[in-house]
Amino acid sequence: MGLPTGWVTDVPGLSRTAQLKALGNGVVPQQAAAALRHLVARREPDARLGRAA
């Protein structure tokens, strides 16, 4: 999912079921970053070019 190794699995005492529940339907961080870049570009097209909207 793009998370650091052990992000959930290195938590002491957390069962496999609890690990999966903690992850849930999490958004992959790279997908979230790409979505935000896309939305910002749509909202402020001139911001990418360093010009005021």
Side-chain angles (χ1 to χ4, degrees), residues 1-2 5-6 12 15-19 24 28-30 34 40 43-44 52:
M1 289 182 66
T5 301
S15 69
R16 172 84 171 143
T17 303
Q19 291 174 10
V28 177
Q30 293 92 334
V40 168
R43 176 102 169 110
E44 302 172 9

Side-chain angles (χ1 to χ4, degrees), residues 9-23:
T9 56
D10 283 346
V11 177
L14 201 58
S15 69
R16 172 84 171 143
T17 303
Q19 291 174 10
L20 293 173
K21 186 175 181 180
L23 288 171

